[in-house]
Amino acid sequence: MARFTLRQLEHFRAIARTGSISAAAAQEMVSRSAMASALGELEKALDAELVIRRKSQGIVLTEAGQEVLELASALLHRAEELEGAVHPEHLRGTLSVGCFSSLAPTFLPVMMDTFARAHPDVQFRAHAEPEDLLLKRLRAGEIDVAVSYNLHMDPTFHSAELYRTRMHVILAADDSLAHGPTVSAPALLPKRLILLDTPPSPQYVTAYFQGQGLTPHIGDTFSSFELIRSMVARGMGYSLFIQEPVGGLSYEGLPVVSRPLDPAPRAERVSIVWVAGRRPSAKVRAFVLAAKTAAPKFKPIDLY
């Protein structure tokens, strides 16, 4: 007979996902002492140190903690399945969704609102991060699903497609290239490329030029999507993006012009993914269905 409880596993998962006992206590709406006690009791039951406690700096999972987190997440999913089989119309618990940084502003607010209206007893936890960190957290069981580009090609994940889109160029309104219907790749070479350096964006941009035997003149690199748009609007260079916000203004209110590229880049697929071999919980299945239904609300305009 197991000497631990599902509640202890839930608290441990919350600690692992938030990175601290205090944050997990706030999330689960229990006292810090209750959260710390649950962790201590679980470690005692398993006879293993699951986390390294760092004063004022949260926790770090041990190797044993990483393994327990993965198994605990799977077990909790199965427990939620059991509850969902009895009451399929009433979902509860926590759903943790990770989203690629540049997709997050258009995707997450829509889905947080949509899902909360349909399932008010589910706590929606959103994370906007670079793709490499998202995948690390997904495999570790720290998030339930991730949303990003082209993850369907990874055989370690199952996926549900949301939409397809293509990379385009953004320019200042007074740029001479902004006046044509398309922009040829060679015409961009004399100009400064301001590169979004959040993986996998740099690989997509450089691969596009390399595929035509071209080398762009890379100026600045930044991880901020909106900073780059503001710089482009001021005529400080151009950039290549996949995501297209509604409205053609920078933070400063200056116009930003989007144009299709010639030749057209390959289509990129935006998908929700979860780890292969883990049966998706009722909450994950409900989220996937809701996201596919809501896709027209966050899908960017097709410029091609």
Side-chain angles (χ1 to χ4, degrees), residues 266-290:
R266 70 179 190 183
E268 313 293 351
R269 186 183 302 185
V270 175
S271 302
I272 303 174
V273 299
W274 57 95
V275 175
R278 294 181 193 168
R279 176 178 168 80
S281 67
K283 293 193 297 292
V284 168
R285 295 199 301 273
F287 176 75
V288 170
L289 178 60

Side-chain angles (χ1 to χ4, degrees), residues 4-301:
F4 54 83
T5 67
L6 290 177
R7 178 64 66 190
Q8 289 168 352
L9 294 179
E10 285 180 333
H11 285 351
F12 169 63
R13 181 175 65 177
I15 291 169
R17 285 178 167 178
T18 60
S20 82
I21 294 174
S22 297
Q27 174 182 294
E28 299 299 309
M29 293 182 289
V30 301
S31 67
R32 188 187 186 284
S33 60
M35 186 65 66
S37 176
L39 174 60
E41 290 168 1
L42 180 61
E43 289 181 317
K44 182 178 179 180
L46 297 176
D47 190 24
E49 183 182 37
L50 302 180
V51 305
I52 299 173
R53 298 158 177 82
R54 303 179 301 174
K55 189 174 181 179
S56 302
Q57 298 183 37
I59 61 95
V60 174
L61 292 180
T62 63
E63 185 175 345
Q66 292 280 4
E67 184 173 358
V68 170
L69 175 61
E70 183 174 348
L71 295 172
S73 296
L75 182 57
L76 290 168
H77 279 318
R78 298 296 287 174
E80 291 165 358
E81 281 289 296
L82 179 61
E83 184 178 21
V86 179
H87 301 289
E89 75 291 346
H90 193 188
L91 300 178
R92 65 179 72 237
T94 301
L95 178 70
S96 291
V97 176
C99 186
F100 180 56
S101 304
S102 66
L103 279 171
T106 51
F107 176 81
L108 284 177
V110 171
M111 289 312 304
M112 292 172 74
D113 182 53
T114 299
F115 202 75
R117 291 175 186 273
H119 305 286
D121 291 329
V122 176
Q123 294 181 329
F124 194 111
R125 304 296 178 190
H127 308 267
E129 295 165 329
E131 188 176 278
D132 52 351
L133 182 55
L134 282 180
L135 300 189
K136 180 180 179 180
R137 298 188 68 177
L138 182 60
R139 291 190 172 101
E142 296 175 16
I143 58 176
D144 298 305
V145 295
V147 180
S148 191
Y149 297 101
N150 298 323
L151 295 183
H152 66 285
M153 296 187 291
D154 189 328
T156 64
F157 297 124
H158 289 312
S159 67
E161 180 179 336
L162 296 178
Y163 63 86
R164 300 188 186 192
T165 187
R166 295 179 189 269
M167 191 163 55
H168 60 273
V169 61
I170 63 169
L171 302 154
D174 59 359
D175 192 302
S176 60
L177 296 180
H179 304 307
T182 63
V183 175
S184 72
L188 292 169
L189 296 187
K191 300 179 179 292
R192 292 177 70 252
L193 168 61
I194 307 174
L195 185 64
L196 181 67
D197 65 0
T198 305
S201 294
Q203 293 90 326
Y204 290 166
V205 172
T206 55
Y208 173 72
F209 283 106
Q210 288 173 355
Q212 302 168 65
L214 304 175
T215 302
H217 169 46
I218 299 176
D220 298 304
T221 61
F222 296 101
S223 60
S224 171
F225 180 79
E226 286 297 343
L227 172 58
I228 294 176
R229 293 183 79 248
S230 292
M231 294 178 68
V232 168
R234 284 187 168 271
M236 303 170 77
Y238 73 95
S239 193
L240 268 58
F241 284 161
I242 298 177
Q243 189 66 2
E244 172 70 1
V246 176
L249 298 178
S250 71
Y251 266 13
E252 297 180 287
L254 299 175
V256 180
V257 175
S258 300
R259 289 289 181 265
L261 289 162
D262 182 21
R266 70 179 190 183
E268 313 293 351
R269 186 183 302 185
V270 175
S271 302
I272 303 174
V273 299
W274 57 95
V275 175
R278 294 181 193 168
R279 176 178 168 80
S281 67
K283 293 193 297 292
V284 168
R285 295 199 301 273
F287 176 75
V288 170
L289 178 60
K292 292 177 73 171
T293 302
K297 297 180 180 179
F298 52 75
K299 178 182 178 181
I301 298 170

